[in-house]
Amino acid sequence: PLEFLELPDSFALSLMAWLVAVYWTADIFASFATGQFINGKIVLNPKKIAHRYLQTWFTFDVLIVLPDWLSLTLEDKFEFLTKFSLLRGVRAL
């Protein structure tokens, strides 16, 4: 939500932006190692977990994290992409 405000650049805000991007990127990797309930049974097989994740949340997660990394690495050349990072809140639900 703070992205709609014109806040001055600061070390604290930059640090928070990097930490958020790293956190959500780590969440993608963690999702490949998280057991799931499929048809009422817990599945711990890494191949089945990866297959299921790739079919369900993976694309959405990457579309959420990608604008963050682009905005951080390309230094405001794609400032409009930061608005898409607001979708993280939807994923958190």
Side-chain angles (χ1 to χ4, degrees):
L2 294 176
E3 292 159 349
F4 289 108
L5 302 174
E6 293 294 326
L7 297 175
D9 288 337
S10 71
F11 175 76
L13 289 177
S14 295
L15 178 64
M16 289 302 295
W18 280 96
L19 289 175
V20 166
V22 168
Y23 173 83
W24 286 106
T25 302
D27 180 66
I28 291 174
F29 290 105
S31 294
F32 280 103
T34 303
Q36 300 175 352
F37 279 102
I38 300 175
N39 298 327
K41 296 180 182 179
I42 190 161
V43 175
L44 300 175
N45 181 322
K47 288 183 182 179
K48 289 182 181 180
I49 292 169
H51 182 72
R52 174 77 173 206
Y53 178 57
L54 288 170
Q55 288 182 330
T56 56
W57 285 104
F58 178 75
T59 303
F60 183 75
D61 287 346
V62 169
L63 290 175
I64 297 301
V65 173
L66 187 61
D68 283 343
W69 283 111
L70 288 175
S71 68
L72 287 170
T73 57
L74 298 178
E75 299 179 15
D76 297 331
K77 291 180 183 175
F78 294 96
E79 185 176 328
F80 68 94
L81 290 174
T82 59
K83 306 305 182 237
F84 290 108
S85 66
L86 295 174
L87 294 174
R88 277 193 307 269
V90 174
R91 176 63 171 104
L93 299 176

